[in-house]
Amino acid sequence: MKKILALHTGGTISMSANDLGEVSTNKENPLLDSRFIDDNIELTNEAVLNKPSEHITPEDMLVIQKRVQQAESEDYDGIVITHGTDTLEETAYFLDLTLPNHLPIVLTGAMRSSNEIGSDGVYNFQSAILTAAADESTDKGVLVVMNDEIHTARYVTKTHTTNVDTFRTPTFGPIGLVGKRGIHYFQELIQQTVMPIDKLKHNVYLLKAYAGMPASLLECLDKADTNGLVIEGLGAGNMPLETVEAIKHLLADQIPVVMVSRCYNGVAEPIYDYPGGGIDLERMGVTFCQGLNGPKARIKLLIGISAGLKGQTLRDYISNAVS
Ligand code: ASP
């Protein structure tokens, strides 16, 4: 018998649509009454939050993290977290970076609300429970299960506004599948260092570069109050010429600046050696973060800074996507 704890936080999976198709949060999460029809799995439901995921803050992520940590000493074999899909990847990655992952931890959500035709919520919830209960799911890091696919929290991203097949790992695909007769894994995840944190720092920002981006967007950051900045740069990690001086000023004020790519696929690497090119930016002190998208690099920078990392130690933590 496997004991699975389901922590519910809200999102479309727990919402309902009215006659006009307008979707909103229910007062009480309907998933709290879920039963699992399997003699080998005992399911316990618990509400941690009941919010759309756009309202989830890093403080909420810490609340979820602390509840998961507590559950590790409560004799559960696996944990499922239901969550809105809009920021699911950020909460999943937050947990992945800060929890030792002794237990399988699986996040899921839905693209169609609980009373819509073809609602994917109950199905995804069931797939997540089966994944959390599978022995093979231990030591895989935090997982995201949607639409029969198992993705790592580290690299999964929401790619479509409404389609049920929205969660993808662009660079190398899912690490496993939920089959009709069980869970199948095809890839191993490289282990990473766990960064335990108790409190969060604030004011770590994310900006996206574009052709003609003015320096003023960077200059308007209050330097005294900015703890870090992630930029989704152009291509492999390059910036418009106009922004280079402003980036130098941030670095001179000891504000960590982290570069990822605004491209949907691939990794950011310093390749071009001209003003604003990646090599130029790296020479200035910009840290390249491989393989993470902007929102996840921001979560990692926030956690590194909140853990008290500084200077080269922070740069080493950020630059290696797997440790
Ligand atoms: N807006 C919803 C949320 O993130 C979307 C969803 O759950 O699919 O809460």
Side-chain angles (χ1 to χ4, degrees), residues 7-285:
L7 301 174
H8 301 291
T9 71
T12 297
I13 191 166
S14 59
M15 295 182 187
S16 301
N18 65 15
D19 292 345
L20 299 173
E22 298 159 342
V23 179
S24 57
T25 305
N26 285 300
K27 240 191 170 131
E28 177 107 325
N29 189 328
L31 291 171
L32 285 169
D33 295 327
S34 310
R35 298 276 165 274
F36 197 73
I37 320 291
D38 183 325
D39 290 346
N40 300 316
I41 296 176
E42 185 186 305
L43 177 68
T44 305
N45 290 291
E46 192 178 304
V48 180
L49 305 165
N50 191 21
K51 313 181 165 190
S53 76
E54 304 83 359
H55 297 187
I56 298 257
T57 63
E59 273 70 24
D60 291 326
M61 297 177 196
L62 200 54
V63 168
I64 299 168
Q65 188 246 42
K66 289 187 172 161
R67 180 63 193 96
V68 172
Q69 240 166 356
Q70 191 190 321
E72 301 221 335
S73 58
E74 288 172 357
D75 203 25
Y76 288 108
D77 299 297
I79 299 186
V80 170
I81 300 167
T82 64
H83 195 290
T85 60
D86 288 350
T87 65
L88 186 149
E89 64 195 85
E90 283 157 89
T91 298
Y93 190 50
F94 184 102
L95 300 177
D96 191 54
L97 286 170
T98 57
L99 286 167
N101 297 326
H102 296 317
L103 292 179
I105 300 166
V106 182
L107 278 86
T108 193
M111 297 302 289
R112 296 181 185 139
S113 65
S114 59
N115 61 343
E116 276 178 77
I117 293 173
S119 172
D120 51 334
V122 172
Y123 186 83
N124 284 338
F125 187 36
Q126 172 180 274
S127 300
I129 293 167
L130 290 171
T131 306
D135 290 337
E136 309 88 293
S137 298
T138 35
D139 292 328
K140 293 275 190 301
V142 173
L143 300 169
V144 173
V145 169
M146 295 278 294
N147 202 36
D148 282 339
E149 291 185 347
I150 308 172
H151 295 264
T152 65
R154 248 169 261 176
Y155 301 111
V156 72
T157 191
K158 184 175 180 177
T159 65
H160 195 287
T161 49
T162 52
N163 196 305
V164 294
D165 186 21
T166 180
F167 279 85
R168 299 269 172 92
T169 299
T171 321
F172 53 83
I175 63 162
L177 298 175
V178 181
K180 296 280 179 213
R181 294 184 166 207
I183 305 301
H184 309 280
Y185 283 102
F186 300 102
Q187 301 191 57
E188 277 300 319
L189 193 67
I190 301 166
Q191 292 304 316
Q192 68 179 3
T193 314
V194 176
M195 191 63 70
I197 50 161
D198 218 31
K199 279 194 230 107
L200 285 165
K201 288 256 168 85
H202 294 275
N203 304 345
V204 175
Y205 302 116
L206 170 62
L207 286 175
K208 187 172 196 149
Y210 56 89
M213 184 183 193
S216 56
L217 269 180
L218 296 149
E219 284 161 358
C220 72
L221 291 173
D222 178 355
K223 292 205 191 91
D225 222 17
T226 298
N227 288 317
L229 173 67
V230 175
I231 304 174
E232 282 188 15
L234 306 170
N238 311 300
M239 288 298 284
L241 188 56
E242 296 73 19
T243 63
V244 172
E245 280 306 302
I247 293 173
K248 267 188 200 155
H249 292 154
L250 292 171
L251 292 163
D253 278 353
Q254 312 303 321
I255 296 169
V257 179
V258 172
M259 181 61 59
V260 296
S261 175
R262 73 172 193 177
C263 292
Y264 157 79
N265 207 341
V267 296
E269 295 173 309
I271 297 170
Y272 294 99
D273 194 4
Y274 46 74
I279 292 176
D280 184 46
L281 297 171
E282 190 178 51
R283 218 183 274 130
M284 280 160 46

Side-chain angles (χ1 to χ4, degrees), residues 97 204-205 227-230 256-258 296-306 314 317-318:
L97 286 170
V204 175
Y205 302 116
N227 288 317
L229 173 67
V230 175
V257 179
V258 172
K296 283 191 209 194
R298 195 197 86 86
I299 291 287
K300 192 169 196 189
L301 183 59
L302 178 70
I303 286 169
I305 288 170
S306 299
L314 179 66
Y317 176 64
I318 296 299

